[in-house]
Amino acid sequence: MKVTVAGTGYVGLVTGVCLAEIGHHVICIDVDEAKIKMLQEAKSPIYEPGLEEMLSKNIKKGNIFFTTSPEYAYSNCEIIIIAVGTPEKPDGSANLTYIEAVSRKIAENIQQDSIVVIKSTVPVGTNDWINNLIQTNLQNRHFVEVVSNPEFLREGSAISDTFNGDRIVIGSSSKYSGDIVEAMYTSFNRPILRTNIRSSEMIKYASNAFLATKISFINEIANICEKLGANIEDVSTGIGLDKRIGKQFLQAGIGYGGSCFPKDTKALVQLAGNVEHEFELLESVIKVNNHQPLLLIQKAKEIVGQLEGKKVAVLGLAFKPNTDDIRESASVVIVNQLIENGAIVYVYDPIAISNVKKTIGESVKYCSTIDEAIGDAELTFIGTEWSEIKKYPVINYKRLMKTPMIFDGRNCYDLDEMKNHGLVYVSIGREAIL
Ligand code: UDX
């Protein structure tokens, strides 16, 4: 099939490359010329395991092309997938400016019957709005129908999620348009759920809100465990063994970040508010998450007093391992808090440093190894559970730090083992070793 993908961010690029991999003829369009040039040279603008190899292979096979030209991208395709960003507006609602601009370009340039698939996360009702917008602005008399097809891939495992994800959701207003989108995905061989458009839009928000709720729930339980002498790792395992609960997304820590959960939870609260429903549960989930990174700083202050003038290392800055993405990263919240408290901050991350430089600038010292970051430090905070950090020899903290005190926001180390090292080790939902 001939497929055009609008937007070469995480979702758009991974989708385009994976559709090319299963044999579709794919054109990816973006307004960012520098990004398109990189992609034409088979370089991925994002770090995602396996992506660059698959990109390069499909460019060579002639299955995927990159352009900034709407005339070229939209004039000769059966399916157009919109995967542009829907960032957060100051009031928490989704900003639909980019999706509107793309929809207008599509309407102006379509030269054949096409199905427009909305993959971007959009508030319930947006697909209908886009459908109207396109129909009103169509320059030629072609059949166009909008289909909702939310994306559930995770950064860091985006390719494997695209091929092996739990489900594909297709929300359409006619069987005909839904069937075309289903045909595009046949080779993925994944379970497909067909719904109406609004249910499909809601599935995306409800999924992310539910997962965020699981995380805030386990973080609250962890905070209580600390006070009652229980161990969150055992509690998570114990409750996760109940299949009705499930063991995933029960890892306590300094909270969720990334480009989806923080944005989508706020957008759903806003969406509910629009229909005069106060989503109190989700409001609390957000509140708990905002507070969670601050608790670790608070614990450090209770132990060492003021942080002013102290050399503090922060290991791991990405919002989770295997990505260079620092959007809404809880670890970056900790870095900013440390700066605000007057600490001298040394940071290390295997791949996210250049993104941190763009946002935090020169207010911290950037290190290229863990050893360098923790050398002479009085405190170390762990913000991301990179395997390099988990495997790092604990003995080195004692050897290299001025005073070996670790505040582990991701429970990277075994508690019993830490007891043998004679250092201060404070983690989440577990007994503090003082
Ligand atoms: C998420 C959804 O999982 C995905 O389906 C959707 O398409 C986009 O949003 P992503 O943002 O890539 O994906 O990351 P995810 O792996 O879900 O983790 C999100 C955040 O939750 C991370 O900051 C992670 O550290 C945190 N998390 C996750 C926990 O704190 N505990 C857990 O048990 C799981």
Side-chain angles (χ1 to χ4, degrees):
M1 286 172 126
K2 289 182 177 171
V3 183
T4 285
V5 182
T8 56
Y10 259 100
V11 171
L13 184 56
V14 171
T15 303
V17 171
C18 291
L19 288 173
E21 177 75 11
I22 58 168
H24 294 300
H25 180 275
V26 179
I27 298 174
C28 291
I29 174 168
D30 203 293
V31 290
D32 185 335
E33 285 181 17
K35 213 187 219 187
I36 289 297
K37 192 161 178 297
M38 266 183 93
L39 287 163
Q40 285 166 340
E41 290 162 3
K43 291 195 194 93
S44 171
I46 49 168
Y47 173 82
E48 185 61 39
L51 182 61
E52 207 162 76
E53 293 82 344
M54 202 179 274
L55 168 70
S56 154
K57 179 176 140 197
N58 283 286
I59 289 177
K60 281 190 198 125
K61 277 169 87 179
N63 281 358
I64 191 162
F65 298 87
F66 296 92
T67 184
T68 53
S69 158
E71 295 82 1
Y72 172 65
Y74 302 131
S75 60
N76 184 19
C77 53
E78 298 149 90
I79 297 183
I80 299 167
I81 298 175
I82 303 185
V84 294
T86 50
E88 192 183 314
K89 287 205 284 197
D91 67 357
S93 65
N95 178 349
L96 301 176
T97 318
Y98 304 117
I99 212 160
E100 179 177 353
V102 167
S103 304
R104 286 185 189 279
K105 288 279 177 213
I106 290 172
E108 284 162 17
N109 289 288
I110 276 182
Q111 300 289 346
Q112 66 173 78
D113 294 351
S114 312
I115 303 299
V116 175
V117 175
I118 311 295
K119 240 185 205 310
S120 308
T121 302
V122 289
V124 180
T126 306
N127 277 257
D128 291 340
W129 174 72
I130 295 170
N131 197 35
N132 282 339
L133 186 83
I134 294 179
Q135 306 298 346
T136 320
N137 290 283
L138 262 184
Q139 301 291 310
N140 297 298
R141 292 168 64 85
H142 292 295
F143 172 84
V144 179
E145 202 164 275
V146 167
V147 170
S148 164
N149 171 223
E151 185 49 65
F152 302 101
L153 59 80
R154 291 162 300 172
E155 293 181 23
S157 56
I159 300 227
S160 113
D161 285 351
T162 306
F163 283 97
N164 311 304
D166 294 332
R167 78 300 205 192
I168 290 170
V169 175
I170 298 172
S172 62
S173 54
S174 76
K175 181 173 175 324
Y176 170 78
S177 58
D179 285 350
I180 293 180
V181 178
E182 187 165 341
M184 175 177 74
Y185 286 123
T186 311
S187 320
F188 283 142
N189 213 9
R190 287 164 50 193
I192 290 181
L193 175 71
R194 298 277 294 267
T195 69
N196 71 21
I197 289 181
R198 287 179 182 233
S199 304
S200 167
E201 291 172 314
M202 188 54 147
I203 286 169
K204 172 70 188 198
Y205 278 108
S207 298
N208 279 352
F210 189 81
L211 292 169
T213 303
K214 248 185 139 176
I215 298 170
S216 279
F217 178 84
I218 205 67
N219 284 339
E220 279 281 74
I221 294 288
N223 299 338
I224 302 165
C225 280
E226 281 171 21
K227 296 195 168 140
L228 296 178
N231 180 313
I232 192 63
E233 307 291 322
D234 294 338
V235 173
S236 289
T237 307
I239 65 173
L241 283 169
D242 185 329
K243 289 194 187 71
R244 293 169 302 173
I245 297 172
K247 57 181 192 280
Q248 294 189 52
F249 277 74
L250 290 179
Q251 176 70 49
I254 45 173
Y256 60 78
S259 63
C260 290
F261 287 175
K263 167 175 80 75
D264 295 348
T265 44
K266 280 184 239 169
L268 186 51
V269 165
Q270 182 77 28
L271 200 56
N274 292 347
V275 288
E276 278 152 42
H277 182 99
E278 195 187 349
F279 201 157
E280 289 181 68
L281 176 63
L282 196 54
E283 281 168 2
S284 299
V285 166
I286 296 167
K287 198 169 147 202
V288 168
N289 195 60
N290 290 341
H291 196 53
Q292 196 65 9
L294 310 182
L295 283 179
L296 199 59
I297 302 262
Q298 201 175 303
K299 285 186 217 169
K301 280 177 155 177
E302 278 161 19
I303 294 168
V304 302
Q306 289 314 303
L307 298 170
E308 190 158 7
K310 290 195 164 51
K311 177 180 170 182
V312 181
V314 179
L315 306 180
L317 302 162
F319 83 95
K320 66 173 189 179
N322 300 323
T323 176
D324 62 352
D325 196 341
I326 57 153
R327 283 176 286 177
E328 304 278 338
S329 166
S331 184
V332 174
V333 173
I334 287 189
V335 170
N336 285 325
Q337 278 292 311
L338 290 169
I339 297 169
E340 233 170 74
N341 277 274
I344 305 155
V345 186
Y346 284 63
V347 298
Y348 169 75
D349 188 281
I351 55 171
I353 290 285
S354 64
N355 284 337
V356 180
K357 277 187 183 161
K358 284 181 215 153
T359 52
I360 298 188
E362 294 311 311
S363 24
V364 297
K365 306 254 183 334
Y366 297 96
C367 303
S368 44
T369 61
I370 298 179
D371 286 8
E372 187 189 343
I374 67 170
D376 255 348
E378 288 174 71
L379 297 88
T380 292
F381 282 83
I382 298 176
T384 317
E385 66 277 34
W386 283 101
S387 66
E388 184 191 348
I389 297 170
K390 286 163 94 171
K391 285 187 203 143
Y392 185 73
V394 174
I395 193 91
N396 287 1
Y397 290 103
K398 215 166 161 194
R399 195 167 58 80
L400 298 170
M401 289 180 71
K402 189 172 172 191
T403 48
M405 289 197 243
I406 305 171
F407 295 85
D408 182 356
R410 298 292 179 184
N411 290 359
C412 288
Y413 301 116
D414 182 79
L415 197 63
D416 288 332
E417 202 206 306
M418 294 308 273
K419 285 181 181 157
N420 303 324
H421 284 287
L423 37 70
V424 170
Y425 181 67
V426 177
S427 53
I428 309 288
R430 308 189 294 182
E431 174 195 348
I433 303 171
L434 300 171

